[in-house]
Amino acid sequence: MTIPENHQAIMPYLMLKDADKFLSFTTSIFGAELKHKQLRDDKIMHAEVSIDGCTIMFTEATEQWKTATSNLFVYVEDADVSYQKALAEGGTSVMELSDQSYGRTCGVTDPCGNVWWITSV
């Protein structure tokens, strides 16, 4: 099996209302790197960001491709810092910061409706 560079065998593909907000949120909070972006009528037709080598594909939702969000688990250097940045960028808390057996963790819904489970070890 041949997989294109910067791709994995399984990757999330999100259909979003206001995909530009998702791009801004992931870039600001998680340091996502934009790998690919195609526009149609000034809207994101297809885009790919990479967070620490993991690709997320996304597009602007349409009549044909309805909004489909996700829950995403992400490891970060400092969950406290990322949590505060996420809230400042328009995210809403779904779980306050807490210490768990697997690390310091919290949950935030981004402006597009995706839930991010943010954890540092």
Side-chain angles (χ1 to χ4, degrees):
M1 171 171 61
T2 302
I3 298 174
E5 186 178 344
N6 298 320
H7 287 185
Q8 299 81 57
I10 298 175
M11 294 176 288
Y13 200 119
L14 310 174
M15 280 69 163
L16 306 169
K17 180 179 179 201
D18 202 347
D20 283 316
K21 278 187 183 176
F22 181 80
L23 177 57
S24 175
F25 187 87
T26 57
T27 302
S28 176
I29 310 311
F30 306 114
E33 181 182 348
L34 180 62
K35 294 292 190 176
H36 182 81
K37 182 177 174 183
Q38 288 176 266
L39 299 177
R40 178 181 12 190
D41 301 325
D42 295 327
K43 299 282 185 183
I44 293 176
M45 181 178 86
H46 177 83
E48 300 175 11
V49 293
S50 178
I51 300 173
D52 290 330
C54 298
T55 301
I56 300 173
M57 297 178 172
F58 59 101
T59 186
E60 185 74 28
T62 65
E63 274 299 311
Q64 181 181 10
W65 303 105
K66 306 291 185 202
T67 301
T69 59
S70 183
N71 279 258
L72 301 159
F73 186 97
V74 59
Y75 284 109
V76 296
E77 192 66 34
D78 187 327
D80 293 70
V81 170
S82 295
Y83 180 68
Q84 293 306 318
K85 283 175 137 180
L87 297 178
E89 287 288 327
T92 55
S93 180
V94 295
M95 187 176 89
E96 297 283 325
L97 282 159
S98 63
D99 293 316
Q100 301 296 323
S101 61
Y102 53 89
R104 183 105 171 120
T105 192
C106 62
V108 176
T109 301
D110 70 26
C112 296
N114 301 288
V115 177
W116 292 84
W117 301 103
I118 301 168
T119 302
S120 56
V121 197

